[in-house]
Amino acid sequence: MTADTAGGTLTTTDLIVGGMTCAACVNRVEKRLARLDGVSATVNLATGKARVSHPPAVTPQDLVAAVERAGYTAEPPPPAAAPRTQDPPAEPSADGEHPERERLLITALLCLPVLVLSMVPALQFRNWQWLCLTLAAPVVVWSALPFHRRAVRGLRHSAATMDTLVSLGVLASFSWSLYALFLGGAGDPDMRMPFTFLPSAGGEVAHVYLEAAVGVPLFVLAGRHLEGRARRSTGAALRSLAGLAVKDVTVREDGRERLIPVEQLRVGQEFLVRPGERVATDGVVVSGSSALDLSLVTGESDPVEVGPGRKVVGAAVNAGGLLLVRATAVGADTQLARITRMVTEAQAGKARAQRLADRVAGVFVPVILALAVTVLGFWLGAGADPQAAVTAAVAILVVACPCALGLATPTALLAATGRGAQLGVLVSGPQALEALRHVDTVVLDKTGTLTTGHMSVVEVTAVSGGIGREAALRLAGAVEQGSEHPLGRALAAYAQRALPGGTLPPVTDFQATAGTGVTGLVEGRRIDLLSPDDGLPKSLAQALAEAEASVLTPVLVRVDGFDEALITLGDVLRPGSYRAVDRMRRLGVEPVLATGDRDATALAVAAQLGISAVHARCTPEGKAELVARLKEEGRRVAVIGDGVNDAAALARADLGIAMGSGTDVAIGAADVTLVRGDIEAVADAIRLARRTLGTIRANLVWAFGYNAVTVPLAAVGWLNPMVAAAAMSASSLLVVGNSLRLRAWEPAPKRHGGMSPRPRRKGFQR
């Protein structure tokens, strides 16, 4: 898979790199690519990919050649073609899984008798060591062949990697065993050899290390097989997202229906979505109504009701009736494709700690080789038994493990970004995770972020003994059907949704007077919708006072000259706004409200949510200046917004968070996108970031600590080479297994029963 995007004067190319086995390989590939003029690269061991930024003058073929000169393989970008977002990305290293599994099984069958006979003296029969030699030879030659090949290839390119250590350890153990058998007296038919977890310090008969010669390839092959499966599991969330895409779609043209591949679907075409099917692509409902399950796409657990004019997202499951949808985006422009692309790009990055680990791994293997030679020379120079000296040197070669260093961050990132995407939180990369972890102040926009962003009916209050709430709403909605005013359209739409049947009576003699209201005849009655004045009935006067206190817009419904009801409208808070602000505060993050609305509106919303820091009448430049002031105070600032007016502040902040329902400009300027449009996901994102970075730190502490403890133990002769091989494989598995725990991470459960524990105002429904 490749992806090329222009970014100023540079081009970004993704290459699949083969043959990498440890962080030392990563460091070598990055350095080799960086030798090209103007080229910088980030290589990910977990995904086996290199993301390269290069001038247009450097072609993809040049990049491939550079990687091959480093001793690895690279897959060049395919010819430009229409993007196919329907095929899930291939599992890394999946092609070689079956041959490697066969090699592992055959190795295990050959190794088992050698290990048992070497470790259980009671089972050692006459000439048992020669049988072990016969079984061990194919393991050393054939089973360990991939390590020998990569070691020789690295030698040709003046490079040393993990395979170099494994190959030398196997050959040294086997060579010493040959010496012991043919020249050291271990070939005696009646020879018996005790086994201890500590290496033998010498004796009258040379010790045979055939168990180490076969155990090292066995444990390393088993460890890498399990490690590969686990690494593929970390990317399962991304592949499941890509696998949601529809393959075929039923289009309707000229009254006819036909099934076509989804790649042939074009913007503007109409297609059918039957019950139980997935929506083929992003679009707008032309006819029909249904409930859509978006849980696998945006993380939204509750079904969403859609009807004519409503937008739908590709890959959502149709849980109800038949829908006719007009396509508005296809291919790489769909929301699902953007989600997949953002997650893929996030997984290509590196945290600061991983860059340090890769630099350490770049010199790790040469240092280990030098240390092994030094220890061998020291032991021999000190007059120690050659057997003990060789044992210590082999143990150092085998136990050293830069693999864990290379896997510490990318496996955690793979698991965390995939899990975040499942929950509707898209993170642009490790830098965003690090910034999210340290955020202590969040600047919140009001409209479209804390509120829904569109006007809606909040409360309908009817006078006692009058026509009643439902009748007043029905008549008011009927009159407003002919209105072009946003308040009128909102009232009519609410009435259609709220009333049984959803059908409003026709209006005649409709008139609209600017600054006053509208009037019309409905079912023979004169209906006036006006701004309320003094002299209202007591119940309506009380509702008017509450609406003004909540900064809502009141509309008086007058029927045949009598005041019958008061309808209040406003931009209502999102259902999770109070919980989101409350959870941010509990996480040690201070919320700050910054809005372009007037003071009264901003203060009313802040009072509802318990926000003390309020900045009203903010221009786009004013929001950016507010962010700059907060940063000057030493705060780590995040900005949450959804509109064009938020883009400057999003870009200025330490971390920009965009609502998925917002504009493309806001999303493009943000580091984190909340796909499901639920602001409560911000708290989930912060908790996930903290858990992820905690996992990365734990992985790196283990990776460094493991080598800091085991290498000295091997140097002083306290580590059996076979035990060292098992420990080396276990270290990588532990790092990957710790990262896999992030796949099961769950956000805090939502509390039901209202947004706020405080008594709610009558005139402000949520």
Side-chain angles (χ1 to χ4, degrees):
M1 288 172 52
T2 60
D4 295 50
T5 59
T9 59
L10 295 178
T11 297
T12 299
T13 298
D14 289 346
L15 298 176
I16 297 178
V17 181
M20 296 190 300
T21 56
C22 65
C25 301
V26 169
N27 186 268
R28 179 165 179 77
V29 173
E30 288 181 344
K31 283 186 175 180
R32 179 66 68 170
L33 287 169
R35 291 182 184 178
L36 301 176
D37 291 337
V39 174
S40 62
T42 299
V43 181
N44 190 311
L45 177 61
T47 60
K49 293 181 181 178
R51 170 149 294 185
V52 190
S53 296
H54 58 95
V58 178
T59 66
Q61 288 70 28
D62 296 332
L63 303 178
V64 170
V67 175
E68 290 176 346
R69 284 195 297 272
Y72 305 91
T73 63
E75 185 175 317
R84 282 184 58 90
T85 60
Q86 289 73 29
D87 294 335
E91 296 185 3
S93 304
D95 293 341
E97 181 179 0
H98 296 300
E100 290 301 323
R101 185 166 54 197
E102 292 174 1
R103 185 184 297 271
L104 174 60
L105 291 175
I106 295 173
T107 301
L109 291 175
L110 293 171
C111 289
L112 186 60
V114 179
L115 295 176
V116 172
L117 289 173
S118 300
M119 297 172 66
V120 185
L123 298 179
Q124 293 172 359
F125 48 83
R126 185 177 176 84
N127 288 320
W128 68 272
Q129 67 272 41
W130 296 103
L131 173 63
C132 289
L133 176 64
T134 304
L135 295 174
V139 174
V140 172
V141 176
W142 177 76
S143 298
L145 186 60
F147 307 117
H148 302 323
R149 282 177 174 170
R150 287 192 287 262
V152 171
R153 186 174 60 199
L155 185 63
R156 286 203 304 265
H157 293 87
S158 303
T161 66
M162 186 65 208
D163 295 299
T164 308
L165 301 181
V166 173
S167 177
L168 287 176
V170 171
L171 293 176
S173 299
F174 189 69
S175 298
W176 176 263
S177 298
L178 290 177
Y179 164 79
L181 286 170
F182 289 99
L183 301 176
D188 180 34
D190 294 319
M191 191 271 285
R192 297 292 182 270
M193 186 181 71
F195 175 82
T196 61
F197 282 100
L198 293 177
S200 173
E204 296 181 358
V205 178
H207 196 91
V208 177
Y209 280 119
L210 292 174
E211 76 277 10
V214 300
V216 170
L218 175 63
F219 290 130
V220 176
L221 286 173
R224 288 189 177 175
H225 176 69
L226 295 174
E227 175 190 308
R229 293 184 60 182
R231 283 159 58 180
R232 287 190 289 274
S233 296
T234 59
L238 176 59
R239 290 191 298 276
S240 66
L241 279 174
L244 293 177
V246 176
K247 303 295 183 183
D248 301 301
V249 58
T250 302
V251 297
R252 177 178 289 180
E253 294 177 335
D254 301 326
R256 291 185 172 184
E257 298 177 8
R258 61 189 180 96
L259 190 67
I260 63 171
V262 75
E263 296 90 346
Q264 298 179 11
L265 187 65
R266 297 292 178 262
V267 173
Q269 284 186 295
E270 295 181 353
F271 61 92
L272 293 172
V273 186
R274 296 182 173 86
E277 293 182 344
R278 294 190 184 277
V279 179
T281 191
D282 298 353
V284 176
V285 177
V286 177
S287 64
S289 60
S290 181
L292 295 183
D293 180 2
L294 301 172
S295 58
L296 294 177
V297 184
T298 67
E300 181 62 56
S301 58
D302 296 329
V304 177
E305 297 289 337
V306 297
R310 291 292 299 273
K311 294 181 179 179
V312 294
V313 179
V317 178
N318 181 11
L322 179 67
L323 295 176
L324 180 63
V325 181
R326 180 183 301 108
T328 58
V330 296
D333 297 326
T334 63
Q335 180 168 321
L336 180 63
R338 290 199 300 269
I339 292 174
T340 304
R341 188 162 56 248
M342 287 185 68
V343 175
T344 302
E345 291 173 355
Q347 294 174 349
K350 287 187 181 181
R352 286 193 297 268
Q354 183 62 37
R355 295 187 183 278
L356 172 62
D358 287 347
R359 286 197 296 272
V360 171
V363 297
F364 183 87
V365 175
V367 168
I368 291 297
L369 289 172
L371 180 62
V373 173
T374 301
V375 167
L376 178 64
F378 175 81
W379 278 61
L380 293 175
D385 188 277
Q387 176 174 304
V390 171
T391 299
V394 170
I396 289 175
L397 292 173
V398 173
V399 79
C401 182
C403 301
L405 291 174
L407 294 170
T409 293
T411 53
L413 276 178
L414 280 169
T417 51
R419 182 59 181 148
Q422 290 177 327
L423 297 172
V425 178
L426 297 183
V427 182
S428 63
Q431 293 80 10
L433 272 177
E434 290 171 336
L436 194 56
R437 162 67 177 85
H438 297 102
V439 161
D440 56 26
T441 304
V442 173
V443 177
L444 299 160
D445 178 46
K446 181 186 77 70
T447 305
T449 302
L450 293 172
T451 66
T452 59
H454 54 81
M455 300 298 287
S456 179
V457 173
V458 176
E459 181 64 71
V460 179
T461 304
V463 298
S464 178
I467 63 174
R469 180 181 181 279
E470 185 173 309
L473 180 62
R474 177 172 175 270
L475 295 173
V479 173
E480 292 288 14
Q481 288 181 99
S483 175
E484 292 297 327
H485 195 279
L487 287 177
R489 292 199 299 269
L491 199 159
Y494 178 84
Q496 285 181 317
R497 293 194 304 269
L499 296 176
T503 302
L504 298 175
V507 59
T508 58
D509 196 22
F510 173 82
Q511 293 181 0
T513 304
T516 302
V518 296
T519 182
L521 289 175
V522 180
E523 298 178 339
R525 294 182 172 187
R526 171 63 60 180
I527 311 300
D528 299 301
L529 302 184
L530 312 165
S531 297
D533 50 17
D534 297 332
L536 294 176
K538 183 177 180 180
S539 59
L540 300 188
Q542 182 180 353
L544 175 61
E546 292 181 353
E548 292 174 342
S550 299
V551 198
L552 300 175
T553 302
V555 175
L556 177 64
V557 181
R558 185 171 291 168
V559 181
D560 291 333
F562 293 96
D563 297 336
E564 291 286 353
L566 190 78
I567 301 176
T568 55
L569 299 96
D571 184 7
V572 298
L573 291 175
R574 291 180 181 270
S577 291
Y578 178 83
R579 288 191 299 267
V581 171
D582 180 61
R583 289 181 60 195
M584 286 181 208
R585 196 178 289 109
R586 292 174 183 271
L587 290 169
V589 179
E590 180 186 356
V592 175
L593 178 61
T595 177
D597 282 338
R598 61 186 187 274
D599 293 346
T601 303
L603 291 172
V605 171
Q608 291 286 336
L609 299 175
I611 299 175
S612 57
V614 182
H615 299 267
R617 300 183 182 276
C618 280
T619 63
E621 295 79 9
K623 289 184 180 181
E625 291 171 0
L626 170 63
V627 171
R629 289 198 303 271
L630 292 172
K631 291 175 67 175
E632 288 173 359
E633 295 173 5
R635 302 195 191 189
R636 302 288 184 88
V637 184
V639 173
I640 307 177
D642 75 321
V644 175
N645 63 328
D646 300 315
L650 288 168
R652 179 71 67 88
D654 294 304
L655 184 78
I657 304 175
M659 306 296 289
S661 56
T663 64
D664 290 340
V665 175
I667 293 174
D671 304 293
V672 178
T673 301
L674 309 181
V675 178
R676 68 178 189 256
D678 180 4
I679 191 176
E680 194 172 358
V682 174
D684 294 335
I686 294 174
R687 290 183 61 241
L688 178 59
R690 293 179 179 179
R691 174 66 64 84
T692 303
L693 293 178
T695 299
I696 291 174
R697 283 197 300 271
N699 287 348
L700 290 173
V701 166
W702 166 258
F704 281 109
Y706 162 83
N707 287 291
V709 171
T710 57
V711 171
L713 287 177
V716 299
W718 288 359
L719 206 58
N720 187 296
M722 189 182 70
V723 176
M728 184 268 290
S729 297
S731 69
S732 295
L733 290 176
L734 184 63
V735 165
V736 177
N738 190 40
S739 297
L740 282 176
R741 295 168 57 210
L742 290 169
R743 291 181 58 200
W745 183 86
E746 291 291 342
K750 291 186 177 181
R751 294 174 298 173
H752 297 283
M755 260 185 8
S756 170
R758 301 170 300 188
R760 300 191 310 180
R761 298 177 186 269
K762 176 184 176 184
F764 203 88
Q765 293 183 340
R766 293 152 177 102

